Amino acid sequence: MANKFSKVVKNIYRLPTFCHSYLLTKLFCSQVKYAGTSKVTLHKITHNEVELSIANIKRVQNHIGGVHAIAASLLAESATGIVFGMNVPDSHLPLLKSMTVNYNRRMQGGLQAKANLSQEQLSQITSEEKGDILVPVVITDESGQEPIECLMNWAWVPKKRS
């Protein structure tokens, strides 16, 4: 089932490959301003997988020169929200209910995020009137390690008719 967001993404993928990341990033950051401010970059969007990154640049650094905890959380929320949002019908609102973020060690360099939905989760989103699912995301830093663990609880509810 396609929604407006997934249709725009599909149209971007019809264009030459070299412009996909740029256009996906522009699309997302036009709607999520803080992601644009933080220079989040989208690399891949499908109905069941999203990949994005954030560079360790001055505007997102903490007092010790690493990616700030909130910028890392933004990356996790963005990755899970995008893959979730690709599948929520236009007649429904996607809502973040909760986020669990465990910081296990200092982050080194820029961060990559990959969020996935299972086939069961995809079916649940499109077949149930409302509900919620836990969307995991893997965050790795430039060392290849996972300095934080994140789990986002996303819900969908019918839009109120005006």
Side-chain angles (χ1 to χ4, degrees):
M1 172 189 264
N3 59 28
K4 288 178 188 173
F5 178 55
S6 67
K7 288 176 186 173
V8 173
V9 169
K10 183 178 179 180
N11 286 333
I12 288 172
Y13 278 119
R14 289 185 176 138
L15 299 170
T17 304
F18 75 88
C19 64
H20 292 174
S21 178
Y22 174 80
L23 293 173
L24 293 170
T25 299
K26 285 292 184 190
L27 170 65
F28 179 65
C29 294
S30 72
Q31 300 303 305
V32 182
K33 304 296 186 207
Y34 186 57
T37 299
S38 299
K39 300 289 187 191
V40 169
T41 301
L42 280 74
H43 302 284
K44 176 183 178 182
I45 300 176
T46 69
H47 280 280
N48 64 338
E49 183 180 31
V50 167
E51 295 178 12
L52 48 98
S53 65
I54 193 168
N56 184 8
I57 56 175
K58 188 159 187 72
R59 69 176 60 198
V60 298
Q61 288 179 342
N62 58 20
H63 63 289
I64 58 173
V67 173
H68 195 282
I70 293 303
S73 296
L74 166 71
L75 191 66
E77 188 244 351
S78 296
T80 58
I82 293 168
V83 74
F84 181 71
M86 281 286 288
N87 296 284
V88 174
D90 288 333
S91 59
H92 289 66
L93 289 173
L95 302 166
L96 181 64
K97 286 180 68 174
S98 67
M99 57 193 295
T100 302
V101 182
N102 295 314
Y103 299 92
N104 298 325
R105 68 169 184 76
R106 187 174 156 231
M107 293 172 261
Q108 298 176 23
L111 303 176
Q112 297 276 334
K114 292 183 182 180
N116 294 283
L117 292 178
S118 68
Q119 204 54 49
E120 181 181 314
Q121 288 174 314
L122 292 170
S123 296
Q124 188 179 353
I125 294 167
T126 56
S127 66
E128 296 180 11
E129 183 64 15
K130 65 180 184 174
D132 67 287
I133 58 172
L134 295 173
V135 182
V137 59
V138 175
I139 305 285
T140 54
D141 65 13
E142 289 181 9
S143 74
Q145 300 295 309
E146 296 177 29
I148 65 174
E149 297 172 37
C150 309
L151 190 61
M152 307 291 170
N153 187 7
W154 283 93
W156 64 98
V157 297
K159 289 181 180 175
K160 294 187 180 192
R161 302 183 194 270
S162 43

